[in-house]
Amino acid sequence: MLAMVLFGGVAFGSPATDYIATQLQIDSRLVELYLHYTASIIGAQPDPDQALAVAQQEAQAVLRDAEALEEWAGGDQGLSAAVTQRAEHSVLWFEQTLPTMISLDSGPHPRDADQLQFETLLHLSEVTEIQDVDRINDALSAFAANNRVLMEDPDLVVDPPEWRVELPGKPSALPCVVRVNFAIAHNNEMVILQDQVLDEWNAGIEMEALALIAHRSELEKAVMEIQAVPAWMGDATLTAALSANGQGLLELYGLMIQAAELDLRLFLFGKKRRQRDALVDQVNESVEPLNAAVQAAWTDFGEGWRIAERDQYLEELAQWTLEQGGLQ
């Protein structure tokens, strides 16, 4: 979100260059704040809420300091206003935009619309950032020209390492790491819903005949809930597999109910006993293939969305941020 504005001059120590340095120190603090927050989130801060609260407090402190700076006598061509406005936008980003984006990519029930909203917020933030930097640079150039300060081309700013890979699903302008974050949130939701299905299944098969028959409605509810989840950004790897698994378990549960109804007969022997045993055997033989299909879907989803590679990238990003002074 933040980029550093750099400057150079030939008359360091003059009032004009000192004024420039004082204003741009505010800008540098904003960059350092963003680096520190990023480093905290990807490796050094076990409590994301605390990291965000610290960043919000520091952003407010930077804004107060920007507002307290004395302006250049006779006007500074808008430099102070431009720096202050950027600080104001940083406060808004940390206090409003960022929390919204965090809630979107880490919510318990992610949907395509959440990623699209995230993409919109990120785009608007980037546009604002470009405008802020351009405004500062224009004011800086005007002030330098007005006060005979020779500006030098800044050193190139080192960009963070990029991670670009082919991902499944609908195309998106979001960084790959953000898209994978959303996919992980979808994965996590499906894990929870699948656990609910398995809990109801396991509870049912441990019950006596009458209770087992009555428990079918609970399993149906859990299966309906997992079948209601739409494919993630066009990728139905998990939704299709887990829906099919739930349907398969319901069908097997129906066989168990048939076996339970036979168990309720006053006399169970001969053909009826063999029928009951065959139903139980059919259930036992069918469960393993259902489980194998689900495990294959988890594997395919993780590999398709490069989840392990994403973790490696975050380690590289954490190291890069540390090298930039993000944890100092």
Side-chain angles (χ1 to χ4, degrees), residues 11 21-22 42 77 88 104 133 143 151 167 174 176 186 198-199 203 205 252 260 263 278 281 288 290 300 315 322 326:
T22 301
I42 61 178
Q77 312 303 311
E88 291 171 346
L104 288 171
V133 171
F143 179 82
M151 303 301 299
L167 295 173
L174 284 171
C176 290
H186 169 70
L198 294 179
D199 286 346
I205 63 177
L252 295 182
D263 277 332
D281 289 342
E288 185 174 347
L290 285 177
D300 290 345
E315 292 179 4
L322 179 62

Side-chain angles (χ1 to χ4, degrees), residues 93-322:
W93 191 77
F94 278 110
E95 294 189 350
Q96 297 181 20
T97 305
L98 181 57
T100 300
M101 294 168 74
I102 291 172
S103 69
L104 288 171
D105 79 343
S106 61
H109 308 292
R111 298 293 179 263
D112 290 5
D114 297 323
Q115 179 173 305
L116 295 175
Q117 183 181 355
F118 187 106
E119 186 171 346
T120 298
L121 290 172
L122 181 61
H123 174 69
L124 293 175
S125 297
E126 290 172 341
V127 169
T128 299
E129 175 65 11
I130 292 171
Q131 292 173 343
D132 283 345
V133 171
D134 288 345
R135 191 178 296 110
I136 291 176
N137 284 335
D138 290 344
L140 184 60
S141 297
F143 179 82
N146 233 28
N147 292 275
R148 298 184 178 182
V149 175
L150 177 63
M151 303 301 299
E152 297 175 347
D153 290 334
D155 296 331
L156 294 177
V157 178
V158 179
D159 292 326
E162 286 191 277
W163 184 53
R164 295 181 181 275
V165 292
E166 290 294 327
L167 295 173
K170 302 173 185 176
S172 171
L174 284 171
C176 290
V177 67
V178 176
R179 294 182 62 195
V180 177
N181 287 345
F182 270 103
I184 290 173
H186 169 70
N187 179 93
N188 293 343
E189 179 185 21
M190 299 305 288
V191 168
I192 292 172
L193 294 177
Q194 177 68 0
D195 284 346
Q196 292 175 359
V197 170
L198 294 179
D199 286 346
E200 299 300 345
W201 166 268
N202 291 329
I205 63 177
E206 295 294 330
M207 293 177 178
E208 298 295 331
L210 286 175
L212 181 148
I213 294 171
H215 188 71
R216 179 187 173 92
S217 61
E218 299 302 316
L219 178 61
E220 288 176 337
K221 290 178 185 177
V223 171
M224 288 176 61
E225 189 171 356
I226 205 168
Q227 291 178 337
V229 179
W232 177 250
M233 296 299 292
D235 182 359
T237 300
L238 292 183
T239 52
L242 297 184
S243 292
N245 175 265
Q247 192 60 44
L249 290 178
L250 277 177
E251 293 171 2
L252 295 182
Y253 203 90
L255 298 181
M256 289 197 301
I257 288 177
Q258 293 180 38
E261 290 172 341
L262 289 171
D263 277 332
L264 290 173
R265 296 171 64 92
L266 186 60
F267 300 104
L268 181 64
F269 50 84
K271 181 179 180 180
K272 293 298 181 182
R273 178 181 289 275
R274 290 193 297 274
Q275 183 180 354
R276 191 277 314 271
D277 292 344
L279 289 169
V280 172
D281 289 342
Q282 184 177 350
V283 170
N284 291 334
E285 293 170 0
S286 301
V287 169
E288 185 174 347
L290 285 177
N291 290 338
V294 169
Q295 291 303 316
W298 292 125
T299 299
D300 290 345
F301 189 82
E303 292 178 351
W305 285 95
R306 313 291 188 92
I307 292 176
E309 293 179 39
R310 170 261 192 187
D311 294 341
Q312 181 179 355
Y313 167 71
L314 289 181
E315 292 179 4
E316 294 175 2
L317 184 60
Q319 180 60 37
W320 176 87
T321 307
L322 179 62

